[in-house]
Amino acid sequence: MFSYTPLDHDRHEIRLLTFNFVNPPLSHENLGDSPSINLSLSHAFLDAEPAPVYNALSYVWGDANDTRPIILDGHVYQVTKNLFTALTQLHASQVRARIWIDAICINQSDNDEKAVQVRLMSSVYSLAKNVLIWLGPEPDGGAFQTIRSLAAMYRASTKEGYINIETITDRDDLQFEERMARLGEEVVELADSGGDEDGRLDFEALWKLFFDRPWWHRVWVVQEVVLAKAAMVLCGNEFVLWEDVKDIWFVLLAVSHRVLRIGDDKYSNLANAVNIIIGIFGHLEAASTNYEASLINAQERGGGEAGLSLFEALEVTFQSNTVAATDERDMIYGILGMVQPEDRCKIPVDYSSTNTMERVSFDVSKVLLMKYGPNILSSYQRLFSVKHHPAAIPSWVIDRTSEFRTALAVKVEDRHPINNLYHATKGTSWEEWSARSEIGQASYGEPRISLPGRIVGRVVNVGKTLVDMTVQKYSAEWYAVVTKWLFELIDMIETYRASLAGNSEFLTSTLENVWRVPVLDSDVDGTARADDGLWGEVFLAGFETLTLTGKKQSWSDVDDEEQTELPNDLFMYLGACKVQRQRSFVDSTGRPGTTLQDVQVGDQVVIFPGAHVPFVIRPVTQKGGDVVHHMVGAAYVYSIMDGEAMEGDSEFQDIWLA
């Protein structure tokens, strides 16, 4: 029976595999008729001088119950079918260099060893001579040839080979945009004609390469390709350089833009194929680009390790909704290799059965909250729902799998591609107030944290209407439910005004500006405030059209074909509403707002110093009489998004979140 020799973790020791090319192949009674893959294990130190020479395999394990036997150090050893096919191909290609493969080189039954080896992933993949990306059997059609052709066209269009990273990230580079526009036109024309014999473009085969291969969705592969000095993609006995795969990203974007401009249905299949590939591949391109930028920054600093911040690594990886891992804890552990050491060291890697995903989420949330403050609770857009999160998890812990999200993302880091539209705490910074908080002492057993905050209102009424994520924008159903959502909010404000002794000037102004709430006082894309351009005028006109006719109009009687007959300003306004799974409310001063759907009467509106938006929290009295709060979510609240609630002499109090 095979058994592992322990590793010297203090010296960053790893195991490496070597193919034993024996002719004739060794036979083994337990192998049956399976091809004989014969491997030997050796040990190496990553910090040795000179460094060990080896390749590393990037692949998908596949079904753990579907295995094939190989010979490892003279003993039968079971590997998954997908790994077996990769080994068979490498064996047939007479690969002589040592190779690192996680499933074999790490003792998977030893959780302590796994935890240590995961922390070495950054070194394992960055020191490898080549990273071999195994996608599986031979590609369909001319997928690899299409990649080579598109990459060659891209490099020819830039005239200078690979574009400098600064050029890639500069959206104002009109020359680059013009080159990409011409390239998109050229590729579409070539695809339309079928291409020439040497450069045939098979977008259907390319689509299948991305869509049908599970490698693209495995979380571990992000850091594996990002850290690689050199990489090649293998399908059967065919290969293509990873640099070629990266280069087609801009070509695909150019093609997508070109087809959109043409607007011809005959290109619908091409558009669908290209857009699906962009969606599948986008997180890998973003991670690679950002990591390359960190390498440049490290060189400019005169040394130090490159890497993404934990926040940045999470953002670029999970911009894809298809990224997955067999062990859900690997959704975090699987990206730590490309994270800066100062962030990486704060996340304990623990594969023991007691370390659940909830505990991992707790560790990550604590690190991020200590570094960025309350803005992180809005920027991440996903929290454990107050009503739906496990009882043991504090409400401030981030849950990337939750379907409940706020539309109020804010800028957290300089490289974070989001504009801060709001300034609810009037320019205060987290650095100024972090010493007043109590976060670092929180543990999973005692998860309470304290943030300085000012409670500025109490929720006195909430809307009943919810817009489900399944409701398609610009559909008759969308118009009906959004209109109902908005009129419900207007009715709540009028009800509040009627409860006062006389008409309030503020509430009159509020009713005139209530149109801002469902669009979050922002433009169609949420990238600028509504009044910064013409959108404010368009939305106000749409709102006025709605309030004149909406209550009389039976929107359910308007079918999708009749949408084009709606007034354009109304069409644009309702289409810009960002109310999916958001619930409207009115607070104790008559201010209208919107937040996550769990909001209820009695909740409180609070501003935290350093945060760009207000939040809704829920007071809860614990045994013994202590009052703590549950986080409901970030909120848009009319008339306090620009620091108005910071005025006055009210003191900040310690808000305990549990």
Side-chain angles (χ1 to χ4, degrees), residues 71 122 178 183 234 258 268 366 423 488 504 556:
I71 298 175
S122 178
E178 290 171 359
L183 178 59
L234 309 174
R258 177 59 181 169
S268 60
K366 180 178 170 182
H423 304 279
E488 197 172 68
S504 164
S556 60

Side-chain angles (χ1 to χ4, degrees), residues 166 176 225 296 326 356 367 379 397 456 512 539 561 564 599:
E166 297 300 326
F176 176 66
V225 297
I296 294 174
T326 303
T356 62
V367 169
S379 181
V397 169
V456 298
E512 293 173 352
F539 293 164
E561 292 183 0
T564 56
V599 62

